[in-house]
Amino acid sequence: TPSDWFQQKWVEWQKALQQWHAKHGEYKASVAKKEAAKAAKKAAAAAKEAAKKEAAAKESEEKKEGDAAPMDEDKEEKAEKKDEEKEEKKEEEEEEDKMEVEEEPPKVTLTAEEKKIVFFKSVTPDLTSYTLSTSLAEFTLPEKDDGFDEIKHDWSKSHSKAQEYLKTWVADKKLTTRVEDLTPSDWFQQKWVEWQKALQQWHAKHGEYKASVAKKEAAKAAKWVEWQKVLQQWHAKHGEYKATFAKKEAAKAAKKAVAAKEAAKKEAAGKEAEEKKEGDAAPMEQDKDEKEEKKDEEKEEKKEEEEEEETVDFENLDVFGVDDIMNIGASTPLFKDFQFEDWTMMSLRFELHLLAHAFRHDVEDPERTGIHLDHLAFYYNKYF
C-alpha cells in the first residue's frame, strides 16, 4: 500500500502543479490584455489619420486660417504620442515585474533513510570502469606520514572507521568489478594443452571402438550369408536325393509289374541289393557332412557367447569407480555412446571448471574468491 511519505510527496506535487497552472493563466491573460491595448491604439491611430485627411481637404478653402491650425495640430499629436508611449512603457514594466515576482517553491523534506545517505550517487561515474578496476587495489587513505599536519573525516569522525569503510568498499568492488588487465598464466596454458591431448586420445579411442563394433556386425552379417548359402545347398542336395529315390522306387514298381518269371525276380532282387548298398552309402556321407557343419556352428556359437559374456552392464556401472575410462571391460570405453552434443557439453563443463580455477590462480588476490556471473563472458573470451 502507498506509504505516508508517498502521500506527502503526491500532495506537494499537486499543489505545485496548481500554482504553475495559475501562473500560466495569469501570463496568458496579461498577453491578451497587451494585444487588446495594441489593437485599441491602432484603431485610434487610424481615426487620427482619417481626421488628418479631412483637414487636408479643407486646406484649399481656408488657407489663411489653415496655416496656423496645422502647426497647432501637429504639436497636439506629438504630445499625445509621447503620452501613449509612456503608458505603454509603464504597462510593460508592470507586467515584467509581475513575471519576475514568483511564489516561493515548496520546501523539500527528507526522510530518515535519505538523511542517512552520505555519498551522492551520480549518473556519470567519476572513473571509467577500466581505470577503476586497474587501480582498485591501490586505493588508500591519506596518513600523517604522507606529510599532512592534520587529517579530518567529516562523516566517520575517526580515521579507523574511515579505513574500515574503504576496506569494505574495495572488497565489495573486487567482487563485482572485472579485472581488465588479467592475462592467462603458463599454468593455465599447460592445463589447456593437457586437456587437448586427452580429448584427442578419447576421440581416437571412440573411433576405434565404433570401427570394431562395425567390423563385428559386418562379420556376423557375412556369416549369416554363408549360412544361407550352405542351407540352400543342403536343400538342393535333399531335393536331388528325394528325386533319385522316387525314380528308383518307380523303376522297382515297373519291374515288379513286368517281371512274371522267377528269373526276373532274382535279377530284380540282385539289383535291389546293389541299389541298397549305393543308397546306404550316400546318406551316410551326407550325415557326416551335416555333423561336421553342426560342429562348426556350435564352435562359432560358443565364440559369440563368449564375446557376449564380455559386454559391460552399463545400467549397474559405477562411473565414479572406474579405474580406466578407456577400457571398462571388453575393450569398451566409458564414452562409447557419446554423440556430438555429449562431446560439446563435456568440453564446455571442463572449460568452465578450468576457468574458475585459473582465475583464482592468476588473479593472485584472496579477496577475489570467484567470477561474477555478469563477467563470465568477458573472462571466457579472454581465456578461450
Side-chain angles (χ1 to χ4, degrees):
T1 58
S3 62
D4 296 337
W5 178 86
F6 168 79
Q7 297 294 345
Q8 180 183 356
K9 297 296 182 183
W10 179 249
V11 171
E12 292 175 358
W13 161 250
Q14 292 294 328
K15 289 181 180 179
L17 193 62
Q18 289 177 359
Q19 292 173 359
W20 297 344
H21 277 294
K23 187 65 179 178
H24 185 262
E26 291 176 2
Y27 173 75
K28 288 291 184 181
S30 65
V31 171
K33 187 177 180 181
K34 285 182 180 180
E35 295 294 332
K38 288 180 181 179
K41 289 177 182 178
K42 287 181 180 180
K48 288 180 180 180
E49 288 180 359
K52 286 180 181 180
K53 289 179 180 179
E54 290 179 0
K58 293 179 180 180
E59 283 181 358
S60 59
E61 296 177 357
E62 300 175 351
K63 289 182 179 180
K64 294 180 180 180
E65 296 177 359
D67 292 336
M71 292 178 67
D72 295 336
E73 188 176 354
D74 291 337
K75 290 180 180 179
E76 291 177 358
E77 289 178 358
K78 290 179 179 179
E80 289 177 357
K81 286 182 179 180
K82 288 181 180 179
D83 294 336
E84 290 175 358
E85 289 176 356
K86 289 180 180 180
E87 289 178 359
E88 289 178 358
K89 287 182 180 180
K90 286 181 180 180
E91 290 177 357
E92 290 177 357
E93 289 176 356
E94 289 177 357
E95 289 176 358
E96 289 178 356
D97 293 337
K98 288 180 181 179
M99 293 291 291
E100 291 177 356
V101 177
E102 295 181 355
E103 295 183 2
E104 294 183 359
K107 294 182 179 180
V108 179
T109 57
L110 299 177
T111 62
E113 294 180 356
E114 291 174 342
K115 290 179 180 179
K116 291 180 181 179
I117 298 174
V118 177
F119 300 103
F120 175 73
K121 293 183 179 180
S122 176
V123 178
T124 304
D126 298 330
L127 298 174
T128 61
S129 59
Y130 181 83
T131 304
L132 178 62
S133 63
T134 53
S135 59
L136 186 62
E138 301 175 0
F139 284 2
T140 58
L141 291 177
E143 301 287 345
K144 288 186 177 181
D145 296 338
D146 297 332
F148 296 99
D149 296 332
E150 186 180 4
I151 299 173
K152 292 182 179 180
H153 301 279
D154 293 336
W155 294 287
S156 60
K157 304 300 181 183
S158 65
H159 188 68
S160 60
K161 289 184 178 180
Q163 285 182 331
E164 184 180 354
Y165 178 85
L166 179 62
K167 184 179 179 181
T168 304
W169 182 83
V170 170
D172 293 339
K173 284 294 181 182
K174 285 183 177 181
L175 296 177
T176 57
T177 305
R178 65 190 189 187
V179 185
E180 298 285 349
D181 54 351
L182 182 65
T183 56
S185 62
D186 295 336
W187 178 87
F188 167 78
Q189 299 294 345
Q190 180 183 356
K191 296 295 182 182
W192 179 246
V193 170
E194 292 175 359
W195 162 251
Q196 292 294 327
K197 289 181 180 179
L199 192 61
Q200 289 177 359
Q201 292 175 357
W202 296 347
H203 275 291
K205 182 64 178 178
H206 186 259
E208 292 175 3
Y209 174 76
K210 289 293 183 182
S212 65
V213 171
K215 188 176 180 181
K216 289 180 181 179
E217 294 295 332
K220 288 181 181 179
K223 289 179 181 179
W224 176 252
V225 172
E226 291 177 0
W227 161 248
Q228 292 296 324
K229 289 181 180 179
V230 172
L231 192 62
Q232 288 177 359
Q233 292 175 358
W234 291 352
H235 279 293
K237 187 68 176 177
H238 184 264
E240 291 176 1
Y241 174 76
K242 287 290 186 181
T244 55
F245 183 78
K247 187 177 180 181
K248 289 178 181 179
E249 291 295 328
K252 288 178 182 180
K255 287 178 181 179
K256 286 180 181 180
V258 175
K261 296 180 180 180
E262 293 180 358
K265 290 181 180 179
K266 290 180 180 180
E267 290 178 1
K271 290 180 180 179
E272 286 178 3
E274 292 177 359
E275 290 175 355
K276 284 182 180 180
K277 289 179 181 180
E278 292 176 357
D280 293 337
M284 287 177 69
E285 291 177 357
Q286 186 175 0
D287 292 339
K288 288 180 180 179
D289 294 336
E290 290 178 355
K291 288 179 180 179
E292 289 178 357
E293 290 175 355
K294 285 182 180 179
K295 288 181 180 179
D296 294 336
E297 289 176 2
E298 289 176 356
K299 289 180 180 179
E300 291 177 357
E301 288 177 357
K302 286 181 180 180
K303 288 181 180 179
E304 291 178 356
E305 289 176 357
E306 289 176 356
E307 291 177 355
E308 290 177 356
E309 288 177 357
E310 292 179 356
T311 57
V312 181
D313 184 11
F314 270 82
E315 293 182 359
N316 299 321
L317 179 66
D318 182 13
V319 294
F320 297 102
V322 174
D323 296 330
D324 185 7
I325 63 172
M326 303 282 278
N327 185 6
I328 59 174
S331 299
T332 303
L334 182 63
F335 41 84
K336 71 180 186 70
D337 295 326
F338 265 30
Q339 301 296 327
F340 172 78
E341 296 82 1
D342 301 309
W343 290 109
T344 303
M345 289 298 297
M346 183 186 68
S347 298
L348 180 59
R349 289 189 65 179
F350 178 81
E351 289 170 0
L352 295 177
H353 168 80
L354 181 59
L355 177 61
H357 287 277
F359 175 81
R360 297 189 66 179
H361 178 273
D362 299 345
V363 75
E364 296 180 353
D365 189 349
E367 293 182 348
R368 296 184 186 270
T369 57
I371 297 174
H372 196 275
L373 184 60
D374 295 341
H375 305 148
L376 179 60
F378 170 78
Y379 290 116
Y380 184 86
N381 292 329
K382 183 176 283 290
Y383 275 82
F384 301 105

